[in-house]
Amino acid sequence: MSFVWVAQHMNGLAIPRQCRWGWTISPLPIPTANPNASSTLSPPLRPLPSCHSLQRSPRLSFVSVSRSSDDARTISKLSPFPPHFSEAPSYIRRVLVHLVTSAVLLTGLRVHALDIGPSPFLPATVTIASESSSTDIPGSTYDGVDDEEFKTIFEQWKSKTFALTVPLRIVALRSSLPPSWIKDFIQVQGRRLKMIAELRESLDAIYRELSLALEKENLNPKSAMAADLVSLGDSWLGCAIQKGLIEPIPHIEERDWFQSLGNKWKAYLRRNKAGELDPCGNIWAVPYRWGTVVIAYKKSKFRRYNIPPIKDWEDLWRPELTGKISMIDSPREVIGAVLKRMGASYNTDDLDLQVIGGRECALRNLISLQKQVRFFDSMHYLKSFAAGDVWVAVGWSSDVIPSAKRMSNVAVVIPKSGSSLWADLWVVPAATKFYSDQVGGRIRGPSPLCHQWFEFCLQTSRMLPFQQEIIPGASPFALEHDLSTGQPLGLASGKPKLDTNLADGVPPPEILEKCEFLKPLSEKALEDYRWLISSMEKQRIGFLRGALNEICMRLSRSRPQPI
């Protein structure tokens, strides 16, 4: 029950002129409204008495308002003003008139509720039709229906697929990325991921795409430069940094997966802007697989001619193998084999100071090696090996091991004095320096999912494709942690066992300790390499001359002058 102030309608009530705004205190019976009549309040009222002296202060009457089951309002007057109102002082009448006038203006000739508590003495009520909407009715079923409808709409909204997705475009070296990685990563990220994976035939092709975009100063949306991440060989990393083809990876040291990487990786991938190893530099790449340079030989040929099995680099200089070797044409690997035979490191900075016999001794060993090698060719050295033209092949494990599995009577070994290590890395192309108004491509920063992709590739569960020999190589964590199952290659997949000293693609620990990554050449080392190659050209060696020219040009490009 509630009470309200009521201002009587000036045209709807029979009030004498001399007391038009008068109110009485004595009860005034109000007849019940006729149900057939209009909702307007116009019952017959008895005339108010003449106004006389006022015995007490005037007060406005109260009206009670209640809600019935048919949502109507009930109004009842408590009491009229006392008689002898006209004899009251004029200032009292003016105050009362002002109060009533204000009430009429504020209420707009309508009734407004003011809760003041229940009253124990209420007379009969008059029912009038309610103008309020059904939403004001407490206890009705509308609120429940609204809640159910809202829940239904909310569930439909949650199930919708929105156009807002996070892109991730990668360009990878063919046969370096396990197919299951793409599928598993999409399942982990869900609908928000829009992943595009493209493959290139060689690392050299990826590097050329990056260089071409920079030379033309034009960003093709379909080029490798427009991708979020691309594969890059570790031997190309220094050149790519110095030429501005890639960007450092931001906030990488805060990641848990980076902390779990071994110190060898952290030291090797931390470079300055000149591409040189620098303990205070930035991290420019993330590894996802690695391997070694190995030697494959045909066991049937060796048994036939009573040649002992190959165990180390020294065995390549056997007279029985003259003209029976094919080898990749990388200058670092060719001269590196000479240095390993001489007991030196791949990363020797000064041949005269660090190698017994100096540059002259290294040159004699290099000339004798070229007599042993029939082909210096990184693209076709395994074809001649498979055809039987040569008996020994020296190359990267990612090439040699898959080819050896397809052949019989072949052994693959890593030299016991150690070998060079190679790695395939994820790098971020420097696409943000380009301006392009074309639709598509990456003129923004790298995808925010890059770090999730890095972490995914470095999980220990990602080692399975390498252990099952689906992809040649090994997980980056296997470089400094013994994670191998100890099974020779081929045994895990049920295929014929490959005769090798590698286990799960990883060298034995005692040999792995002697393996090393190829660090950028110092100025003195670069000078020594050029002297060796130019000295061989002066010898006018026939079938090696074309290869030497190519090696010299590659070596010149591998070390651009600092800006």
Side-chain angles (χ1 to χ4, degrees):
M1 182 68 65
S2 60
F3 293 87
V4 299
W5 296 93
V6 172
Q8 297 181 1
H9 199 293
M10 291 185 294
N11 294 326
L13 299 178
I15 301 177
R17 180 182 303 274
Q18 68 274 16
C19 193
R20 187 73 175 181
W21 302 96
W23 298 80
T24 62
I25 297 177
S26 60
L28 177 63
I30 301 177
T32 304
N34 186 357
N36 297 326
S38 172
S39 61
T40 305
L41 181 64
S42 58
L45 302 175
R46 69 182 175 85
L48 294 174
S50 301
C51 295
H52 297 286
S53 62
L54 187 62
Q55 300 297 327
R56 53 185 175 178
S57 300
R59 62 184 178 90
L60 293 176
S61 63
F62 291 101
V63 175
S64 64
V65 178
S66 63
R67 297 182 187 271
S68 61
S69 59
D70 57 350
D71 190 38
R73 299 176 188 260
T74 306
I75 303 177
S76 162
K77 286 187 179 180
L78 294 177
S79 61
F81 284 102
H84 312 294
F85 179 72
S86 59
E87 297 179 2
S90 60
Y91 73 91
I92 293 179
R93 292 197 301 270
R94 286 196 300 270
V95 169
L96 182 60
V97 170
H98 290 166
L99 289 174
V100 173
T101 304
S102 299
V104 171
L105 294 177
L106 291 174
T107 59
L109 304 179
R110 298 180 64 179
V111 177
H112 293 264
L114 175 64
D115 293 338
I116 60 175
S119 175
F121 53 97
L122 291 176
T125 61
V126 177
T127 303
I128 58 176
S130 173
E131 296 178 359
S132 62
S133 63
S134 60
T135 57
D136 296 329
I137 304 175
S140 66
T141 60
Y142 182 85
D143 293 338
V145 173
D146 187 55
D147 291 342
E148 293 297 329
E149 183 179 358
F150 174 77
K151 291 179 180 179
T152 303
I153 295 174
F154 182 67
E155 292 297 330
Q156 292 176 352
W157 174 81
K158 290 196 301 183
S159 64
K160 287 182 178 179
T161 301
F162 295 93
L164 181 60
T165 56
V166 182
L168 178 64
R169 178 173 174 248
I170 63 174
V171 176
L173 174 66
R174 187 178 299 277
S175 301
S176 72
L177 191 65
S180 60
W181 285 13
I182 304 295
K183 179 181 178 181
D184 294 343
F185 186 70
I186 292 175
Q187 291 178 349
V188 169
Q189 295 298 322
R191 295 179 177 179
R192 68 168 183 166
L193 172 65
K194 181 182 179 182
M195 188 168 189
I196 301 175
E198 300 175 9
L199 303 177
R200 299 293 190 269
E201 293 298 329
S202 66
L203 293 172
D204 186 47
I206 297 176
Y207 186 84
R208 284 199 305 267
E209 283 191 44
L210 298 177
S211 301
L212 188 62
L214 188 63
E215 292 173 3
K216 293 186 175 181
E217 297 183 354
N218 181 29
L219 183 63
N220 187 337
K222 296 183 179 180
S223 70
M225 181 63 81
D228 295 296
L229 297 172
V230 300
S231 294
L232 193 68
D234 65 305
S235 60
W236 304 90
L237 182 61
C239 300
I241 294 174
Q242 194 176 49
K243 296 176 88 173
L245 302 180
I246 60 176
E247 301 174 353
I249 301 177
H251 312 297
I252 193 173
E253 298 184 26
E254 305 170 0
R255 307 289 174 168
D256 294 337
W257 56 265
F258 179 77
Q259 298 298 331
S260 62
L261 275 178
N263 293 327
K264 283 186 178 180
W265 287 115
K266 294 178 182 178
Y268 186 57
L269 300 176
R270 193 180 297 277
R271 310 286 181 98
N272 55 28
K273 293 185 178 180
E276 301 170 343
L277 298 177
D278 188 348
C280 299
N282 296 317
I283 299 296
W284 294 81
V286 176
Y288 66 93
R289 75 164 182 164
W290 64 278
T292 64
V293 169
V294 295
I295 302 174
Y297 64 93
K298 291 183 176 293
K299 295 189 296 183
S300 59
K301 297 292 184 179
F302 276 57
R303 285 194 299 263
R304 181 177 178 180
Y305 294 97
N306 296 320
I307 303 175
I310 292 178
K311 295 183 179 180
D312 207 351
W313 294 106
E314 174 68 28
D315 298 330
L316 297 180
W317 275 261
R318 290 176 182 170
E320 301 91 342
L321 298 180
T322 302
K324 300 297 183 182
I325 301 174
S326 64
M327 191 174 185
I328 52 179
D329 62 0
S330 168
R332 293 296 303 272
E333 299 297 347
V334 174
I335 299 178
V338 172
L339 295 175
K340 293 301 289 184
R341 187 199 183 195
M342 301 173 67
S345 168
Y346 277 92
N347 299 306
T348 299
D349 290 329
D350 193 324
L351 293 180
D352 290 328
L353 296 178
Q354 297 175 321
V355 178
I356 298 176
R359 293 197 301 185
E360 295 295 337
C361 185
L363 177 60
R364 289 193 297 268
N365 280 281
L366 183 58
I367 294 174
S368 61
L369 177 61
Q370 64 83 24
K371 296 177 181 178
Q372 302 292 104
V373 178
R374 185 171 182 178
F375 300 109
F376 285 97
D377 190 342
S378 297
M379 298 297 295
H380 306 289
Y381 72 103
L382 289 175
K383 291 183 179 180
S384 59
F385 179 69
D389 297 333
V390 295
W391 302 346
V392 179
V394 181
W396 298 292
S397 58
S398 57
D399 297 336
V400 175
I401 291 177
S403 179
K405 290 179 181 178
R406 296 191 293 266
M407 295 181 283
S408 59
N409 293 317
V410 173
V412 177
V413 297
I414 180 169
K416 64 181 182 180
S417 61
S419 182
S420 65
L421 300 176
W422 57 264
D424 287 338
L425 314 171
W426 294 119
V427 296
V428 178
T432 53
K433 63 176 61 176
F434 293 90
Y435 172 77
S436 175
D437 56 357
Q438 297 182 11
V439 178
R442 183 170 77 83
I443 56 175
R444 51 175 171 75
S447 171
L449 292 178
C450 287
H451 285 286
Q452 284 85 336
W453 175 252
F454 296 152
E455 182 179 7
F456 176 85
C457 294
L458 292 174
Q459 293 174 355
T460 55
S461 57
R462 306 280 83 79
M463 294 177 57
L464 192 60
F466 300 119
Q467 294 175 344
Q468 293 180 344
E469 305 168 35
I470 299 175
I471 296 294
S475 168
F477 286 115
L479 182 63
E480 298 182 74
H481 304 84
D482 188 8
L483 303 177
S484 65
T485 60
Q487 294 180 338
L489 293 176
L491 191 60
S493 59
K495 299 179 181 179
K497 175 183 174 181
L498 179 65
D499 187 0
T500 180
N501 57 352
L502 299 171
D504 295 335
V506 180
E510 64 275 11
I511 298 180
L512 183 58
E513 292 178 356
K514 302 174 184 178
C515 296
E516 51 190 328
F517 285 109
L518 300 181
K519 300 178 182 179
L521 292 173
S522 64
E523 293 297 333
K524 181 61 172 67
L526 182 61
E527 179 186 347
D528 289 339
Y529 272 57
R530 287 174 175 166
W531 180 84
L532 290 173
I533 294 175
S534 61
S535 298
M536 290 185 67
E537 287 182 329
K538 292 178 181 178
Q539 301 291 330
R540 298 186 179 273
I541 302 172
F543 62 87
L544 187 60
R545 187 172 185 179
L548 289 175
N549 291 333
E550 179 65 20
I551 290 175
C552 190
M553 288 188 294
R554 285 172 178 259
L555 190 60
S556 299
R557 293 197 303 263
S558 66
R559 180 79 174 186
Q561 295 299 321
I563 298 175

